[in-house]
């Protein structure tokens, strides 16, 4: 089980959280101008990175707020957590 | 290749079993192949076998970064069935089940297919309607399927608890009698041996690190054992599909999650069928050694670590004990995880790609073991002929652009 540090509440067990997948996928600015391929890319295509990966979690059984985590998907190590809207911290090796 | 038969066993027994040859060669990689297959799991090996058998293409290498059976092929709970909802899925999974039924003879290797019947339980009215609908859909597609009420379930599997006061009461189940289990690593070894006998090079400890292209066309691969040229390259890397496809600049709609399984200490025979419940994440069967073989759910997060979280196991066992109170004092011996490549519509991808000569077979997620023969058989056609086979045409990568998704969450659940 992961120990995740909520940026508001501090360190809690993974079972208090819900996973939200890849972070920083911005909704296209101009939806009606998008091709089918662009839509497919936005809706379905994912980085699925092996290594440091920026992802969203929600503290559902706590403050119920969303935030971002950088976690190594090969080792489960959590490298950083930061609030929504904040820029991801720079990590050695140029993560995400 | 020495054919396995009662005579070869007797002959070798007289020699103290000291003279059996290796099941397949371990050749040095050649500089060029007609087809290079990345990934020596069941699907990669089956693809190689059917390329050789059905299409006469034998200048083929299967490159495996670890050892055969180190991936999901030999980490899964071995449930085989074909009772999927939609026509497209029923067709490919049923073709697969038919190939399973003749597989031991075809590859001269005992894959221990045991068609003991698979129950998929319904715990609420929604499940019941969904189950009955699936039975009807299956029958229309020529897939054997029956609906059992709670008493019928109890008759078929006497140790199950059908008490109305259970947290998740059993209201009925679908039954596919032709479903069952098979021996997982025999599938990898059997296909490897049969492919090798037809000239395919099986190369273990050979990790692909790059996919070489020239003008939008594939030319070969970089590996931990040097550059290997290839006219065609097929990616069959399961949990690592995104990583390998990324080597050719492709993005996939796939996410990799840990999926866990566990086995108990061996006990006397208590359950002679397979019981699955998508709703409460239980699936269980008993191995020939007497171990209860159980599967848990996926971990919610993406990972490549081949291990999952303990609370997922705890959740699975809680639900399992509700269904089977008789298991309450059985000790669990081992748990492990595999990395499954999950697609948003719970259906696989068997497809050409935008790169000429590059093909991909992935996204089987939590339920691809059962599909191993049909997947390899139809994908070999795609690789050989550079075109979809009618069985895999609906499972193209382009369905995520056209929107023609094949939503099998109901039949796949987290289950198999
Ligand atoms: C716990 C668990 C239970 C399951 N239960 C069932 C079940 O009951 N029924 C069912 O139908 N399905 C089940 N599945 C799903 C099933 O196991 C998979 O869908 C299926 O095995 C995937 O195909 P494969 O056998 O080819 O994969 P794998 O055996 O994983 O093969 C992929 C291979 O590619 C290799 N590879 C990756 N990257 C590279 C590289 N760069 N270079 C060279 N080689 C590479 C890997 O080492 C691996 O050997 C289960 C899975 C798990 C984990
Ligand atoms: Zn919080």
């Amino acid at each position: 089980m992961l120990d995740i540090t909520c940026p508001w509440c501090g360190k809690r067990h993974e079972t208090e959280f819900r996973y939200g997948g890849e972070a920083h996928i911005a909704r296209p600015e101009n939806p009606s101008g998008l091709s089918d391929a662009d839509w497919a890319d936005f809706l379905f295509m994912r980085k699925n990175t092996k290594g440091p990966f920026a992802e969203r979690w929600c503290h559902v059984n706590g403050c119920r707020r969303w935030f971002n985590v950088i976690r190594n998907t090969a080792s489960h190590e959590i490298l950083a957590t930061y609030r929504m809207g904040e820029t991801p911290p720079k990590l050695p090796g140029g993560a995400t | 290749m020495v054919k396995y038969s009662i005579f070869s066993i007797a002959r070798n027994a007289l020699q103290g079993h000291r003279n059996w040859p290796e099941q397949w060669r371990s050749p040095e990689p050649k500089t060029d192949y007609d087809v290079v297959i990345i990934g020596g799991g069941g699907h990669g090996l089956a693809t190689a076998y059917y390329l050789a058998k059905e299409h006469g293409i034998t200048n083929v290498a299967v490159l495996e970064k670890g050892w055969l059976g180190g991936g999901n092929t030999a980490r899964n709970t071995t449930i085989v069935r074909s009772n999927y909802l939609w026509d497209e899925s029923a067709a490919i999974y049923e073709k697969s089940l038919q190939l399973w039924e003749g597989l031991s003879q075809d590859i001269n290797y005992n894959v221990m297919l045991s068609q003991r019947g698979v129950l998929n339980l319904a715990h609420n009215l929604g499940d019941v309607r969904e189950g009955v609908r699936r039975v009807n859909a299956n029958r229309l597609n020529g897939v054997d399927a029956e609906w059992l009420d709670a008493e019928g379930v109890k008759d078929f599997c006497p140790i199950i608890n059908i008490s109305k006061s259970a947290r998740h009461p059993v209201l009925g189940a679908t039954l596919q009698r032709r479903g069952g289990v098979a021996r997982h690593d025999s599938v990898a070894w059997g296909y490897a041996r049969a492919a090798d006998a037809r000239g395919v090079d099986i190369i273990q400890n050979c990790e692909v690190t790059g996919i070489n292209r020239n003008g939008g066309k594939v030319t070969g691969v970089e590996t931990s054992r040097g550059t290997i040229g290839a006219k065609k390259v097929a990616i069959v890397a399961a949990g690592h599909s995104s990583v390998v496809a990324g080597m050719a600049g492709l993005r996939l709609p796939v996410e990799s999650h840990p999926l866990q399984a566990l086995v108990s200490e061996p006990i006397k025979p208590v359950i002679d069928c397979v019981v699955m419940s998508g709703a409460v994440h239980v699936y269980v069967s008993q191995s020939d050694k007497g171990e209860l073989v159980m599967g848990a759910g996926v971990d919610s997060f993406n990972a490549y670590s081949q291990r999952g979280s303990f609370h997922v196991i705890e959740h699975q066992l809680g639900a399992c004990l509700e269904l089977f109170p008789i298991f309450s004092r059985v000790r669990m011996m081992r748990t492990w995880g595999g990395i499954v490549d999950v697609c948003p519509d719970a259906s696989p991808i068997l497809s050409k790609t935008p790169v000429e000569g590059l093909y991909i077979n992935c996204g089987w997620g939590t339920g691809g073991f059962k599909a191993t023969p049909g997947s390899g058989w139809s994908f070999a056609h795609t690789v050989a002929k550079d075109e979809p086979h009618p069985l895999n045409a609906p499972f193209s990568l382009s369905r995520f652009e056209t929107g023609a998704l094949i939503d099998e969450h109901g039949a796949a659940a987290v289950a198999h």
Side-chain angles (χ1 to χ4, degrees), chain B residues 39 41-43 63-65 71-73 75-79 208 237-238 259 338 364-370 416:
Chain B
H43 289 245
L63 309 182
E64 166 54 50
K65 72 173 174 181
N72 295 340
T73 304
R75 290 170 184 266
N76 75 83
T77 48
T78 75
I79 300 170
V208 171
L259 178 66
W364 290 99
T366 59
F369 176 69
K370 65 176 75 66
H416 314 92

PDB file of all heavy atoms in Angstrom, chain B residues 39 41-43 63-65 71-73 75-79 208 237-238 259 338 364-370 416, ligand 1:
ATOM      1  N   GLY B  39       8.576  -9.962 -27.689  1.00  0.00           N
ATOM      2  CA  GLY B  39       7.814 -10.481 -26.563  1.00  0.00           C
ATOM      3  C   GLY B  39       7.542 -11.964 -26.711  1.00  0.00           C
ATOM      4  O   GLY B  39       6.847 -12.389 -27.636  1.00  0.00           O
ATOM      5  N   GLY B  41       5.809 -13.984 -24.718  1.00  0.00           N
ATOM      6  CA  GLY B  41       4.688 -14.496 -23.933  1.00  0.00           C
ATOM      7  C   GLY B  41       3.858 -15.420 -24.814  1.00  0.00           C
ATOM      8  O   GLY B  41       4.223 -15.717 -25.957  1.00  0.00           O
ATOM      9  N   GLY B  42       2.740 -15.872 -24.287  1.00  0.00           N
ATOM     10  CA  GLY B  42       1.891 -16.785 -25.042  1.00  0.00           C
ATOM     11  C   GLY B  42       1.490 -16.217 -26.394  1.00  0.00           C
ATOM     12  O   GLY B  42       1.565 -16.914 -27.425  1.00  0.00           O
ATOM     13  N   HIS B  43       1.083 -14.946 -26.423  1.00  0.00           N
ATOM     14  CA  HIS B  43       0.587 -14.370 -27.670  1.00  0.00           C
ATOM     15  C   HIS B  43       1.692 -14.242 -28.720  1.00  0.00           C
ATOM     16  O   HIS B  43       1.459 -14.491 -29.904  1.00  0.00           O
ATOM     17  CB  HIS B  43      -0.057 -13.012 -27.414  1.00  0.00           C
ATOM     18  CG  HIS B  43      -1.369 -13.101 -26.683  1.00  0.00           C
ATOM     19  ND1 HIS B  43      -2.560 -12.739 -27.240  1.00  0.00           N
ATOM     20  CD2 HIS B  43      -1.663 -13.544 -25.438  1.00  0.00           C
ATOM     21  CE1 HIS B  43      -3.548 -12.937 -26.373  1.00  0.00           C
ATOM     22  NE2 HIS B  43      -3.015 -13.418 -25.262  1.00  0.00           N
ATOM     23  N   LEU B  63      11.865 -12.455 -29.781  1.00  0.00           N
ATOM     24  CA  LEU B  63      12.849 -11.885 -28.853  1.00  0.00           C
ATOM     25  C   LEU B  63      12.178 -11.645 -27.499  1.00  0.00           C
ATOM     26  O   LEU B  63      11.174 -10.946 -27.410  1.00  0.00           O
ATOM     27  CB  LEU B  63      13.391 -10.557 -29.392  1.00  0.00           C
ATOM     28  CG  LEU B  63      13.919 -10.568 -30.840  1.00  0.00           C
ATOM     29  CD1 LEU B  63      14.467  -9.185 -31.203  1.00  0.00           C
ATOM     30  CD2 LEU B  63      14.983 -11.641 -31.021  1.00  0.00           C
ATOM     31  N   GLU B  64      12.740 -12.240 -26.471  1.00  0.00           N
ATOM     32  CA  GLU B  64      12.152 -12.140 -25.127  1.00  0.00           C
ATOM     33  C   GLU B  64      13.210 -11.575 -24.184  1.00  0.00           C
ATOM     34  O   GLU B  64      14.299 -12.118 -24.091  1.00  0.00           O
ATOM     35  CB  GLU B  64      11.673 -13.529 -24.671  1.00  0.00           C
ATOM     36  CG  GLU B  64      11.359 -13.658 -23.204  1.00  0.00           C
ATOM     37  CD  GLU B  64      10.360 -12.622 -22.684  1.00  0.00           C
ATOM     38  OE1 GLU B  64       9.289 -12.441 -23.294  1.00  0.00           O
ATOM     39  OE2 GLU B  64      10.683 -11.978 -21.651  1.00  0.00           O
ATOM     40  N   LYS B  65      12.836 -10.498 -23.478  1.00  0.00           N
ATOM     41  CA  LYS B  65      13.865  -9.858 -22.642  1.00  0.00           C
ATOM     42  C   LYS B  65      14.221 -10.700 -21.431  1.00  0.00           C
ATOM     43  O   LYS B  65      15.321 -10.602 -20.905  1.00  0.00           O
ATOM     44  CB  LYS B  65      13.422  -8.457 -22.220  1.00  0.00           C
ATOM     45  CG  LYS B  65      12.320  -8.427 -21.197  1.00  0.00           C
ATOM     46  CD  LYS B  65      12.075  -6.995 -20.711  1.00  0.00           C
ATOM     47  CE  LYS B  65      10.860  -6.996 -19.810  1.00  0.00           C
ATOM     48  NZ  LYS B  65      10.518  -5.686 -19.310  1.00  0.00           N
ATOM     49  N   GLY B  71       6.409 -13.420 -18.012  1.00  0.00           N
ATOM     50  CA  GLY B  71       5.401 -12.362 -18.033  1.00  0.00           C
ATOM     51  C   GLY B  71       4.062 -12.891 -17.553  1.00  0.00           C
ATOM     52  O   GLY B  71       3.996 -13.815 -16.731  1.00  0.00           O
ATOM     53  N   ASN B  72       2.996 -12.327 -18.106  1.00  0.00           N
ATOM     54  CA  ASN B  72       1.654 -12.690 -17.638  1.00  0.00           C
ATOM     55  C   ASN B  72       1.264 -14.110 -18.021  1.00  0.00           C
ATOM     56  O   ASN B  72       0.409 -14.705 -17.371  1.00  0.00           O
ATOM     57  CB  ASN B  72       0.624 -11.730 -18.225  1.00  0.00           C
ATOM     58  CG  ASN B  72       0.818 -10.324 -17.714  1.00  0.00           C
ATOM     59  OD1 ASN B  72       1.443 -10.117 -16.680  1.00  0.00           O
ATOM     60  ND2 ASN B  72       0.301  -9.358 -18.438  1.00  0.00           N
ATOM     61  N   THR B  73       1.887 -14.644 -19.080  1.00  0.00           N
ATOM     62  CA  THR B  73       1.537 -15.992 -19.522  1.00  0.00           C
ATOM     63  C   THR B  73       1.496 -16.959 -18.347  1.00  0.00           C
ATOM     64  O   THR B  73       0.560 -17.742 -18.225  1.00  0.00           O
ATOM     65  CB  THR B  73       2.581 -16.526 -20.523  1.00  0.00           C
ATOM     66  OG1 THR B  73       2.670 -15.610 -21.576  1.00  0.00           O
ATOM     67  CG2 THR B  73       2.184 -17.880 -21.054  1.00  0.00           C
ATOM     68  N   ARG B  75       1.671 -16.048 -15.059  1.00  0.00           N
ATOM     69  CA  ARG B  75       1.286 -15.405 -13.808  1.00  0.00           C
ATOM     70  C   ARG B  75      -0.230 -15.355 -13.668  1.00  0.00           C
ATOM     71  O   ARG B  75      -0.755 -14.798 -12.711  1.00  0.00           O
ATOM     72  CB  ARG B  75       1.801 -13.957 -13.771  1.00  0.00           C
ATOM     73  CG  ARG B  75       3.288 -13.864 -13.627  1.00  0.00           C
ATOM     74  CD  ARG B  75       3.792 -12.440 -13.829  1.00  0.00           C
ATOM     75  NE  ARG B  75       5.237 -12.434 -13.760  1.00  0.00           N
ATOM     76  CZ  ARG B  75       5.940 -12.176 -12.663  1.00  0.00           C
ATOM     77  NH1 ARG B  75       5.328 -11.837 -11.553  1.00  0.00           N
ATOM     78  NH2 ARG B  75       7.243 -12.235 -12.671  1.00  0.00           N
ATOM     79  N   ASN B  76      -0.943 -15.889 -14.628  1.00  0.00           N
ATOM     80  CA  ASN B  76      -2.391 -15.676 -14.624  1.00  0.00           C
ATOM     81  C   ASN B  76      -3.123 -16.858 -13.991  1.00  0.00           C
ATOM     82  O   ASN B  76      -2.542 -17.898 -13.708  1.00  0.00           O
ATOM     83  CB  ASN B  76      -2.891 -15.365 -16.042  1.00  0.00           C
ATOM     84  CG  ASN B  76      -2.937 -16.586 -16.917  1.00  0.00           C
ATOM     85  OD1 ASN B  76      -3.895 -17.342 -16.878  1.00  0.00           O
ATOM     86  ND2 ASN B  76      -1.899 -16.799 -17.695  1.00  0.00           N
ATOM     87  N   THR B  77      -4.424 -16.677 -13.788  1.00  0.00           N
ATOM     88  CA  THR B  77      -5.216 -17.697 -13.095  1.00  0.00           C
ATOM     89  C   THR B  77      -5.855 -18.687 -14.081  1.00  0.00           C
ATOM     90  O   THR B  77      -6.739 -19.443 -13.708  1.00  0.00           O
ATOM     91  CB  THR B  77      -6.292 -17.046 -12.219  1.00  0.00           C
ATOM     92  OG1 THR B  77      -6.970 -16.052 -12.984  1.00  0.00           O
ATOM     93  CG2 THR B  77      -5.676 -16.386 -11.010  1.00  0.00           C
ATOM     94  N   THR B  78      -5.438 -18.644 -15.321  1.00  0.00           N
ATOM     95  CA  THR B  78      -5.659 -19.668 -16.360  1.00  0.00           C
ATOM     96  C   THR B  78      -7.114 -19.947 -16.735  1.00  0.00           C
ATOM     97  O   THR B  78      -7.431 -21.017 -17.238  1.00  0.00           O
ATOM     98  CB  THR B  78      -4.975 -21.025 -16.015  1.00  0.00           C
ATOM     99  OG1 THR B  78      -5.720 -21.700 -15.016  1.00  0.00           O
ATOM    100  CG2 THR B  78      -3.549 -20.819 -15.555  1.00  0.00           C
ATOM    101  N   ILE B  79      -7.993 -19.001 -16.497  1.00  0.00           N
ATOM    102  CA  ILE B  79      -9.392 -19.242 -16.847  1.00  0.00           C
ATOM    103  C   ILE B  79      -9.583 -19.051 -18.350  1.00  0.00           C
ATOM    104  O   ILE B  79      -9.137 -18.065 -18.932  1.00  0.00           O
ATOM    105  CB  ILE B  79     -10.333 -18.318 -16.055  1.00  0.00           C
ATOM    106  CG1 ILE B  79     -10.158 -18.583 -14.554  1.00  0.00           C
ATOM    107  CG2 ILE B  79     -11.784 -18.527 -16.483  1.00  0.00           C
ATOM    108  CD1 ILE B  79     -10.842 -17.571 -13.663  1.00  0.00           C
ATOM    109  N   VAL B 208      14.568  -5.782 -26.437  1.00  0.00           N
ATOM    110  CA  VAL B 208      14.506  -4.804 -27.521  1.00  0.00           C
ATOM    111  C   VAL B 208      14.568  -3.403 -26.914  1.00  0.00           C
ATOM    112  O   VAL B 208      13.814  -3.079 -25.991  1.00  0.00           O
ATOM    113  CB  VAL B 208      13.217  -4.986 -28.348  1.00  0.00           C
ATOM    114  CG1 VAL B 208      13.042  -3.848 -29.342  1.00  0.00           C
ATOM    115  CG2 VAL B 208      13.256  -6.326 -29.068  1.00  0.00           C
ATOM    116  N   ALA B 237       3.972  -7.230 -26.446  1.00  0.00           N
ATOM    117  CA  ALA B 237       4.727  -7.056 -25.193  1.00  0.00           C
ATOM    118  C   ALA B 237       3.839  -6.867 -23.967  1.00  0.00           C
ATOM    119  O   ALA B 237       4.331  -6.490 -22.903  1.00  0.00           O
ATOM    120  CB  ALA B 237       5.688  -5.885 -25.337  1.00  0.00           C
ATOM    121  N   ALA B 238       2.544  -7.117 -24.073  1.00  0.00           N
ATOM    122  CA  ALA B 238       1.594  -7.040 -22.943  1.00  0.00           C
ATOM    123  C   ALA B 238       1.832  -5.799 -22.079  1.00  0.00           C
ATOM    124  O   ALA B 238       1.689  -4.683 -22.572  1.00  0.00           O
ATOM    125  CB  ALA B 238       1.625  -8.330 -22.132  1.00  0.00           C
ATOM    126  N   LEU B 259      -1.907  -6.597 -11.528  1.00  0.00           N
ATOM    127  CA  LEU B 259      -3.037  -7.482 -11.218  1.00  0.00           C
ATOM    128  C   LEU B 259      -2.463  -8.656 -10.435  1.00  0.00           C
ATOM    129  O   LEU B 259      -1.432  -9.213 -10.809  1.00  0.00           O
ATOM    130  CB  LEU B 259      -3.694  -7.978 -12.507  1.00  0.00           C
ATOM    131  CG  LEU B 259      -4.865  -8.967 -12.336  1.00  0.00           C
ATOM    132  CD1 LEU B 259      -6.055  -8.307 -11.654  1.00  0.00           C
ATOM    133  CD2 LEU B 259      -5.297  -9.536 -13.686  1.00  0.00           C
ATOM    134  N   GLY B 338       1.184  -9.436 -11.878  1.00  0.00           N
ATOM    135  CA  GLY B 338       1.635  -9.274 -13.258  1.00  0.00           C
ATOM    136  C   GLY B 338       1.205  -7.883 -13.702  1.00  0.00           C
ATOM    137  O   GLY B 338       0.364  -7.254 -13.053  1.00  0.00           O
ATOM    138  N   TRP B 364      -4.844  -6.710 -23.981  1.00  0.00           N
ATOM    139  CA  TRP B 364      -5.659  -7.838 -23.522  1.00  0.00           C
ATOM    140  C   TRP B 364      -5.994  -7.714 -22.041  1.00  0.00           C
ATOM    141  O   TRP B 364      -6.837  -8.449 -21.516  1.00  0.00           O
ATOM    142  CB  TRP B 364      -4.952  -9.167 -23.800  1.00  0.00           C
ATOM    143  CG  TRP B 364      -4.902  -9.493 -25.256  1.00  0.00           C
ATOM    144  CD1 TRP B 364      -3.856  -9.297 -26.105  1.00  0.00           C
ATOM    145  CD2 TRP B 364      -5.974 -10.046 -26.040  1.00  0.00           C
ATOM    146  NE1 TRP B 364      -4.210  -9.704 -27.373  1.00  0.00           N
ATOM    147  CE2 TRP B 364      -5.493 -10.174 -27.357  1.00  0.00           C
ATOM    148  CE3 TRP B 364      -7.281 -10.464 -25.753  1.00  0.00           C
ATOM    149  CZ2 TRP B 364      -6.273 -10.690 -28.399  1.00  0.00           C
ATOM    150  CZ3 TRP B 364      -8.060 -10.976 -26.781  1.00  0.00           C
ATOM    151  CH2 TRP B 364      -7.554 -11.081 -28.087  1.00  0.00           C
ATOM    152  N   GLY B 365      -5.300  -6.815 -21.381  1.00  0.00           N
ATOM    153  CA  GLY B 365      -5.667  -6.474 -20.007  1.00  0.00           C
ATOM    154  C   GLY B 365      -5.668  -7.662 -19.080  1.00  0.00           C
ATOM    155  O   GLY B 365      -4.732  -8.462 -19.061  1.00  0.00           O
ATOM    156  N   THR B 366      -6.790  -7.785 -18.344  1.00  0.00           N
ATOM    157  CA  THR B 366      -6.868  -8.813 -17.306  1.00  0.00           C
ATOM    158  C   THR B 366      -7.312 -10.163 -17.858  1.00  0.00           C
ATOM    159  O   THR B 366      -7.450 -11.108 -17.100  1.00  0.00           O
ATOM    160  CB  THR B 366      -7.871  -8.371 -16.234  1.00  0.00           C
ATOM    161  OG1 THR B 366      -9.139  -8.176 -16.866  1.00  0.00           O
ATOM    162  CG2 THR B 366      -7.458  -7.068 -15.590  1.00  0.00           C
ATOM    163  N   GLY B 367      -7.566 -10.247 -19.189  1.00  0.00           N
ATOM    164  CA  GLY B 367      -8.208 -11.474 -19.666  1.00  0.00           C
ATOM    165  C   GLY B 367      -7.715 -12.069 -20.957  1.00  0.00           C
ATOM    166  O   GLY B 367      -8.487 -12.663 -21.701  1.00  0.00           O
ATOM    167  N   GLY B 368      -6.420 -11.980 -21.225  1.00  0.00           N
ATOM    168  CA  GLY B 368      -5.936 -12.429 -22.529  1.00  0.00           C
ATOM    169  C   GLY B 368      -5.426 -13.848 -22.604  1.00  0.00           C
ATOM    170  O   GLY B 368      -5.153 -14.343 -23.702  1.00  0.00           O
ATOM    171  N   PHE B 369      -5.300 -14.525 -21.457  1.00  0.00           N
ATOM    172  CA  PHE B 369      -4.759 -15.898 -21.530  1.00  0.00           C
ATOM    173  C   PHE B 369      -5.659 -16.772 -22.391  1.00  0.00           C
ATOM    174  O   PHE B 369      -5.204 -17.495 -23.270  1.00  0.00           O
ATOM    175  CB  PHE B 369      -4.607 -16.488 -20.127  1.00  0.00           C
ATOM    176  CG  PHE B 369      -4.149 -17.915 -20.125  1.00  0.00           C
ATOM    177  CD1 PHE B 369      -2.862 -18.239 -20.514  1.00  0.00           C
ATOM    178  CD2 PHE B 369      -5.011 -18.944 -19.757  1.00  0.00           C
ATOM    179  CE1 PHE B 369      -2.429 -19.567 -20.532  1.00  0.00           C
ATOM    180  CE2 PHE B 369      -4.594 -20.264 -19.769  1.00  0.00           C
ATOM    181  CZ  PHE B 369      -3.299 -20.583 -20.155  1.00  0.00           C
ATOM    182  N   LYS B 370      -6.967 -16.685 -22.136  1.00  0.00           N
ATOM    183  CA  LYS B 370      -7.944 -17.495 -22.872  1.00  0.00           C
ATOM    184  C   LYS B 370      -7.885 -17.263 -24.373  1.00  0.00           C
ATOM    185  O   LYS B 370      -8.278 -18.092 -25.160  1.00  0.00           O
ATOM    186  CB  LYS B 370      -9.358 -17.173 -22.381  1.00  0.00           C
ATOM    187  CG  LYS B 370      -9.769 -15.731 -22.703  1.00  0.00           C
ATOM    188  CD  LYS B 370     -11.194 -15.419 -22.303  1.00  0.00           C
ATOM    189  CE  LYS B 370     -11.360 -15.237 -20.827  1.00  0.00           C
ATOM    190  NZ  LYS B 370     -10.648 -14.037 -20.290  1.00  0.00           N
ATOM    191  N   HIS B 416     -12.100 -12.569 -15.872  1.00  0.00           N
ATOM    192  CA  HIS B 416     -11.508 -13.199 -17.044  1.00  0.00           C
ATOM    193  C   HIS B 416     -12.497 -14.015 -17.775  1.00  0.00           C
ATOM    194  O   HIS B 416     -12.276 -15.033 -18.221  1.00  0.00           O
ATOM    195  CB  HIS B 416     -10.314 -14.010 -16.615  1.00  0.00           C
ATOM    196  CG  HIS B 416      -9.577 -13.163 -15.720  1.00  0.00           C
ATOM    197  ND1 HIS B 416      -9.783 -13.194 -14.396  1.00  0.00           N
ATOM    198  CD2 HIS B 416      -8.825 -12.111 -15.974  1.00  0.00           C
ATOM    199  CE1 HIS B 416      -9.103 -12.216 -13.863  1.00  0.00           C
ATOM    200  NE2 HIS B 416      -8.522 -11.548 -14.780  1.00  0.00           N
TER     201      HIS B 416
HETATM  202  C1  LIG C   1      -2.682 -12.202 -11.962  1.00  0.00           C
HETATM  203  C2  LIG C   1      -3.245 -12.340 -13.349  1.00  0.00           C
HETATM  204  C3  LIG C   1      -4.344 -13.171 -13.573  1.00  0.00           C
HETATM  205  C4  LIG C   1      -4.871 -13.325 -14.861  1.00  0.00           C
HETATM  206  N1  LIG C   1      -5.874 -14.224 -15.042  1.00  0.00           N
HETATM  207  C5  LIG C   1      -6.327 -14.490 -16.293  1.00  0.00           C
HETATM  208  C6  LIG C   1      -7.287 -15.502 -16.502  1.00  0.00           C
HETATM  209  O1  LIG C   1      -7.714 -16.194 -15.569  1.00  0.00           O
HETATM  210  N2  LIG C   1      -7.741 -15.718 -17.770  1.00  0.00           N
HETATM  211  C7  LIG C   1      -7.289 -14.981 -18.825  1.00  0.00           C
HETATM  212  O2  LIG C   1      -7.754 -15.193 -19.939  1.00  0.00           O
HETATM  213  N3  LIG C   1      -6.331 -14.020 -18.662  1.00  0.00           N
HETATM  214  C8  LIG C   1      -5.845 -13.759 -17.420  1.00  0.00           C
HETATM  215  N4  LIG C   1      -4.871 -12.798 -17.235  1.00  0.00           N
HETATM  216  C9  LIG C   1      -4.415 -11.986 -18.383  1.00  0.00           C
HETATM  217  C10 LIG C   1      -3.383 -12.696 -19.242  1.00  0.00           C
HETATM  218  O3  LIG C   1      -2.380 -13.253 -18.425  1.00  0.00           O
HETATM  219  C11 LIG C   1      -2.754 -11.720 -20.247  1.00  0.00           C
HETATM  220  O4  LIG C   1      -3.749 -10.997 -20.943  1.00  0.00           O
HETATM  221  C12 LIG C   1      -1.895 -12.421 -21.306  1.00  0.00           C
HETATM  222  O5  LIG C   1      -1.074 -13.397 -20.701  1.00  0.00           O
HETATM  223  C13 LIG C   1      -1.039 -11.403 -22.046  1.00  0.00           C
HETATM  224  O6  LIG C   1      -0.384 -11.909 -23.171  1.00  0.00           O
HETATM  225  P1  LIG C   1       1.037 -12.641 -23.134  1.00  0.00           P
HETATM  226  O7  LIG C   1       0.836 -14.005 -22.587  1.00  0.00           O
HETATM  227  O8  LIG C   1       1.625 -12.595 -24.466  1.00  0.00           O
HETATM  228  O9  LIG C   1       1.824 -11.711 -22.097  1.00  0.00           O
HETATM  229  P2  LIG C   1       3.244 -11.875 -21.407  1.00  0.00           P
HETATM  230  O10 LIG C   1       3.485 -13.268 -20.974  1.00  0.00           O
HETATM  231  O11 LIG C   1       3.349 -10.806 -20.368  1.00  0.00           O
HETATM  232  O12 LIG C   1       4.237 -11.581 -22.623  1.00  0.00           O
HETATM  233  C14 LIG C   1       4.821 -10.337 -22.947  1.00  0.00           C
HETATM  234  C15 LIG C   1       6.311 -10.556 -22.990  1.00  0.00           C
HETATM  235  O13 LIG C   1       6.956  -9.431 -23.584  1.00  0.00           O
HETATM  236  C16 LIG C   1       8.228  -9.326 -23.007  1.00  0.00           C
HETATM  237  N5  LIG C   1       8.778  -7.993 -23.261  1.00  0.00           N
HETATM  238  C17 LIG C   1       8.333  -6.796 -22.794  1.00  0.00           C
HETATM  239  N6  LIG C   1       9.130  -5.796 -23.216  1.00  0.00           N
HETATM  240  C18 LIG C   1      10.090  -6.365 -23.989  1.00  0.00           C
HETATM  241  C19 LIG C   1      11.215  -5.847 -24.709  1.00  0.00           C
HETATM  242  N7  LIG C   1      11.513  -4.528 -24.714  1.00  0.00           N
HETATM  243  N8  LIG C   1      12.005  -6.714 -25.395  1.00  0.00           N
HETATM  244  C20 LIG C   1      11.731  -8.052 -25.389  1.00  0.00           C
HETATM  245  N9  LIG C   1      10.695  -8.590 -24.715  1.00  0.00           N
HETATM  246  C21 LIG C   1       9.875  -7.756 -24.028  1.00  0.00           C
HETATM  247  C22 LIG C   1       7.959  -9.603 -21.533  1.00  0.00           C
HETATM  248  O14 LIG C   1       9.143  -9.967 -20.830  1.00  0.00           O
HETATM  249  C23 LIG C   1       6.924 -10.722 -21.600  1.00  0.00           C
HETATM  250  O15 LIG C   1       7.493 -12.014 -21.477  1.00  0.00           O
HETATM  251  C24 LIG C   1      -4.320 -12.600 -15.945  1.00  0.00           C
HETATM  252  C25 LIG C   1      -3.223 -11.760 -15.729  1.00  0.00           C
HETATM  253  C26 LIG C   1      -2.665 -11.640 -14.454  1.00  0.00           C
HETATM  254  C27 LIG C   1      -1.463 -10.769 -14.251  1.00  0.00           C
END
